[in-house]
Amino acid sequence: MDNQYDNEDLDIERDDAVIGVAIWYSAIGLGAVAVVALGIGVYLWLQQKPVVDAPIAEVDLPTVRAPLEKPLPKIPFEDITEKSGIQFVHENGADVEKLLPETMGGGCAFFDYDSDGDQDIFLVNSKSWSWNGKSPASTMALYENDGTGVFTDVTTKAGLEVSFYGQGCAVGDFDNDGDADLYVTAVSENLSSIQKETQPGANHLYRNDGGVFVDMTQEAGIGGRSGDWGTSCGWFDFDRDGDLDLWVCNYLEWSREFDVKQNFTLTGGGRAYGRPQVFGGAFCCLYRNDGNGSFTDVSESAGLHITNPVTGVATGKSLGLAFCDFDGDDWIDVVVTNDTVQNFLFHNKGDGTFEEIAALSGIAYDTNGAARGAMGIDVACTRNDPACRGVVIGNFANEMSAYYCSLPDSTQFVDEAVAAGIGPSTRLFLTFGILFLDADLDGWQDLFHANGHLEEEISKVQASQTYEQAPQLFWNAGLSSDTEFVPLTSKELGDEFAKPMVGRGASYADIDGDGDLDLLIAATGQRPRLLRNNLESGNNWLRVKLQGNGTTTTRDAIGATLELTLDDGTVLSRMVSPTRSYLSQVELPVTFGLGQQAAKSLSIHWPDGTVQEIESPKLQATLVVEQEK
């Protein structure tokens, strides 16, 4: 999460004005060089001897992309935050000290907490700092859906009226009892670096007991380490033993004491939020589910402790997390985004350990070999080839989003953001939440960006930047077009979609049962935004909710792969994995858009290796599939 601040020798200035001055001086230099070159050229011309004309070599000219011939879809989004009953306002504790956690915002999740078949909303809150003595304390928020997209605040009834400096969340049935449990990461609110040694971890595990959440952190042993700053987190079965394990990303070695002493300042201004480069890194955590309500920290033995080979300290500054079996070996791999240091790709070796291979795979850096300020992440079969996957990563302002595309069933990637039409349109935005979803149900995964800067006064430093930034939606035009992703405008999306905000986490779900996917955008220090998708395309769709057997496969079937074969032979592939975006979780059911096609068959590849086939599944419906015994 790089930025434009003065801090001793770490002043990185990207202001457009500075660029302009540089260009002006370059022009003067080039002019002088041109005069000298002209004189030399005249002299050489006068001395030259007649020569025989050489044949002109043919040069292959670059191919000019043809304009998009397909009509752009109308996908009108309506802001229903207020009328749906969402009154939540995120509290980041921002004060004159400008402490780094205040910039990060909170995550959000769609999940069915009461098992009634519709998607409810959980919003992670932070709080005022304890040393400021402000009250009343802000709490987390849980909203119950009535099935039509109208929500009721049930935070207190559900036992989630709790206050701590929350960050991310993960939803998963860790005890296989049929209801969704909740894990929330947080910042350890350390007064000083010395007090880290006496404080427990700040993360929380809540077991869902029939719609009431009970704090099980101490019994489970997954509160994190003293001083941790937990960010994105997610449930997955890394060892394929039939229960869910937990991966937790940690951002930085942070304390108020150290942050304040750095004296970060805006260029030509006052106090600024800090730069991640001056803080130490941290390790990700992997907690193995022991099957009895407790977990074992296997982070180091599993290969997660990645260190700087020169200094020996932790390398990672992790913010984003996604799961995927990239090489088709039936073991789930893990990709982690890092801020201003290389990204990680942990290849699951199937023996309880991971090998970090991001640099070898081409996903660690940008095309110039430089690390970026990476935040949110998502993975999908964007080109409708089940063997190939696209990994999208949202980066800092002036660093375009990454779009790494894999070779078939491979961990080898190439960043095709520019060629795919994503790069230039994302360069000026600071992207946190990022998601693939089929917004128009045409069978192709589109791309959503939640954007927003760190500094309220950033426009005074960089004319090209604003604090509040509009979200973006890129339409996937398919392989028949020279332009893979096309940025849509308010003409296609509606004015309420494009309204700027300080976006952070993002999630999607079908909140009203009409088959299309609605969007939730979390913020920092602001209200979230709930956007209902009012699509009227008439495209076919199918939603699938899987139920594992709870023994060889987890009850919520996280890690299962679904392949839907259409009439024309196209195979649409989706993996059940709600962990994606930034600090957030999407709904558990999987949505397929089919366009005007019908479905021949649905193939379900359960995490335990069994396969289940369903012929001609009924469309315009939600299909609940129980794993065969």
Side-chain angles (χ1 to χ4, degrees):
M1 194 173 56
D2 195 9
N3 48 30
Q4 298 77 28
Y5 307 138
D6 288 327
N7 182 45
E8 299 179 355
D9 296 330
L10 291 169
D11 184 12
I12 298 178
E13 179 59 74
R14 299 176 182 166
D15 192 5
D16 294 340
V18 173
I19 296 173
V21 171
I23 293 174
W24 186 76
Y25 278 114
S26 297
I28 294 176
L30 289 173
V33 171
V35 171
V36 174
L38 178 62
I40 295 174
V42 170
Y43 172 80
L44 293 175
W45 179 78
L46 292 173
Q47 302 299 318
Q48 71 179 346
K49 297 178 180 179
V51 296
V52 178
D53 291 339
I56 300 175
E58 294 186 3
V59 178
D60 292 331
L61 297 177
T63 302
V64 178
R65 282 184 174 177
L68 184 69
E69 296 181 356
K70 294 182 178 180
L72 297 179
K74 298 287 185 182
I75 316 174
F77 282 90
E78 176 188 2
D79 186 344
I80 62 169
T81 312
E82 185 172 352
K83 73 178 183 181
S84 71
I86 305 298
Q87 300 297 319
F88 176 85
V89 179
H90 181 263
E91 172 61 68
N92 61 9
D95 209 338
V96 293
E97 285 186 326
K98 283 197 168 184
L99 302 175
L100 184 57
E102 297 164 6
T103 67
M104 306 306 291
C108 57
F110 281 113
F111 75 113
D112 185 5
Y113 97 95
D114 50 4
S115 302
D116 65 351
D118 53 39
Q119 300 302 308
D120 310 301
I121 289 176
F122 178 70
L123 292 158
V124 181
N125 211 346
S126 301
K127 61 185 287 291
S128 297
W129 297 109
S130 59
W131 49 81
N132 288 339
K134 293 183 179 180
S135 61
S138 54
T139 72
M140 309 296 138
L142 180 65
Y143 287 92
E144 181 182 7
N145 189 350
D146 70 354
T148 69
V150 176
F151 295 84
T152 301
D153 189 336
V154 294
T155 309
T156 302
K157 182 177 76 172
L160 290 172
E161 194 176 19
V162 291
S163 182
F164 52 89
Y165 208 98
Q167 294 284 269
C169 59
V171 178
D173 184 3
F174 79 87
D175 52 4
N176 279 329
D177 66 350
D179 49 23
D181 308 303
L182 182 64
Y183 189 79
V184 185
T185 60
V187 178
S188 295
E189 198 175 350
N190 302 306
L191 299 177
S192 70
S193 57
I194 297 176
Q195 289 176 303
K196 284 183 183 180
E197 304 305 320
T198 61
Q199 290 186 341
N203 304 332
H204 291 267
L205 173 65
Y206 297 98
R207 187 185 66 208
N208 187 343
D209 288 347
V212 177
F213 291 87
V214 180
D215 194 329
M216 300 294 295
T217 311
Q218 185 173 354
E219 294 90 329
I222 53 176
R225 297 163 297 207
S226 177
D228 279 354
W229 177 346
T231 55
S232 290
C233 51
W235 299 99
F236 75 127
D237 187 3
F238 89 95
D239 50 5
R240 295 179 58 186
D241 64 351
D243 54 31
L244 288 175
D245 312 296
L246 179 67
W247 187 293
V248 180
C249 294
N250 288 302
Y251 187 29
L252 299 170
E253 282 289 324
W254 179 86
S255 71
R256 174 197 183 196
E257 175 189 48
F258 182 82
D259 198 333
V260 171
K261 285 182 178 180
Q262 300 312 301
N263 194 29
F264 299 104
T265 58
L266 281 166
T267 303
R271 170 75 179 178
Y273 285 111
R275 296 162 44 85
Q277 289 94 328
V278 302
F279 296 91
F283 296 125
C284 292
C285 285
L286 175 60
Y287 297 102
R288 187 189 64 218
N289 191 337
D290 295 330
N292 57 3
S294 64
F295 293 75
T296 299
D297 186 344
V298 296
S299 310
E300 186 170 8
S301 61
L304 275 61
H305 282 197
I306 308 302
T307 59
N308 185 307
V310 177
T311 63
V313 301
T315 299
K317 298 180 179 181
S318 304
L319 291 175
L321 173 67
F323 303 117
C324 182
D325 176 14
F326 288 108
D327 55 358
D329 63 356
D330 295 327
W331 295 92
I332 301 298
D333 308 307
V334 184
V335 60
V336 174
T337 65
N338 286 306
D339 188 2
T340 69
V341 297
Q342 71 155 86
N343 300 317
F344 293 148
L345 175 55
F346 290 95
H347 177 245
N348 191 336
K349 297 169 67 176
D351 59 0
T353 67
F354 293 83
E355 180 184 10
E356 202 290 297
I357 59 171
L360 295 174
S361 298
I363 204 171
Y365 305 101
D366 68 10
T367 54
N368 296 316
R372 292 184 273 203
M375 269 74 76
I377 184 171
D378 201 359
V379 182
C381 295
T382 54
R383 293 171 175 171
N384 287 347
D385 180 348
C388 300
R389 293 161 183 87
V391 178
V392 65
I393 297 175
N395 293 311
F396 199 80
N398 298 315
E399 297 173 343
M400 65 183 70
S401 294
Y403 178 45
Y404 298 102
C405 297
S406 76
L407 299 176
D409 285 330
S410 169
T411 56
Q412 293 299 312
F413 294 85
V414 177
D415 189 349
E416 300 184 19
V418 174
I422 298 170
S425 297
T426 60
R427 187 181 70 84
L428 293 180
F429 291 89
L430 200 168
T431 300
F432 280 85
I434 197 163
L435 292 166
F436 286 119
L437 73 159
D438 188 355
D440 61 342
L441 301 176
D442 67 347
W444 296 89
Q445 300 261 49
D446 310 306
L447 177 59
F448 171 78
H449 282 54
N451 304 314
H453 215 285
L454 311 182
E455 285 283 354
E456 292 188 39
E457 298 182 338
I458 189 62
S459 61
K460 295 181 180 179
V461 179
Q462 281 198 336
S464 62
Q465 292 296 315
T466 59
Y467 182 51
E468 294 185 335
Q469 298 180 356
Q472 294 172 287
L473 184 65
F474 293 81
W475 180 57
N476 189 336
L479 298 180
S480 62
S481 171
D482 286 336
T483 304
E484 187 173 354
F485 286 95
V486 181
L488 301 183
T489 67
S490 57
K491 181 179 179 181
E492 294 83 35
L493 302 172
D495 293 335
E496 294 182 4
F497 177 92
K499 184 179 178 181
M501 65 180 295
V502 189
R504 292 297 186 260
S507 181
Y508 64 70
D510 178 10
I511 63 172
D512 47 11
D514 62 355
D516 55 37
L517 295 173
D518 311 294
L519 286 164
L520 176 64
I521 312 172
T524 180
Q526 294 182 346
R527 295 183 66 182
R529 183 176 300 167
L530 181 60
L531 295 168
R532 182 169 61 200
N533 187 341
N534 291 328
L535 180 69
E536 296 182 355
S537 66
N539 285 334
N540 292 325
W541 55 271
L542 171 67
R543 287 170 57 78
V544 184
K545 172 69 167 61
L546 300 183
Q547 293 180 357
N549 57 28
T551 54
T552 59
T553 295
T554 65
R555 286 292 296 270
D556 42 20
I558 288 176
T561 299
L562 299 89
E563 294 186 347
L564 185 69
T565 302
L566 307 185
D567 274 354
D568 66 355
T570 299
V571 178
L572 306 180
S573 179
R574 307 281 188 270
M575 190 178 90
V576 179
S577 182
T579 300
R580 56 191 69 208
S581 184
Y582 166 78
L583 306 179
S584 301
Q585 303 272 284
V586 302
E587 65 173 353
L588 197 60
V590 171
T591 294
F592 290 95
L594 289 76
Q596 297 301 308
Q597 297 264 351
K600 284 184 178 180
S601 63
L602 175 66
S603 179
I604 302 165
H605 299 257
W606 299 94
D608 64 2
T610 60
V611 179
Q612 197 166 338
E613 301 284 348
I614 298 173
E615 296 299 322
S616 303
K618 180 182 177 182
L619 302 184
Q620 272 67 270
T622 297
L623 176 64
V624 178
V625 182
E626 296 184 11
Q627 185 177 13
E628 295 175 344
K629 302 297 184 181

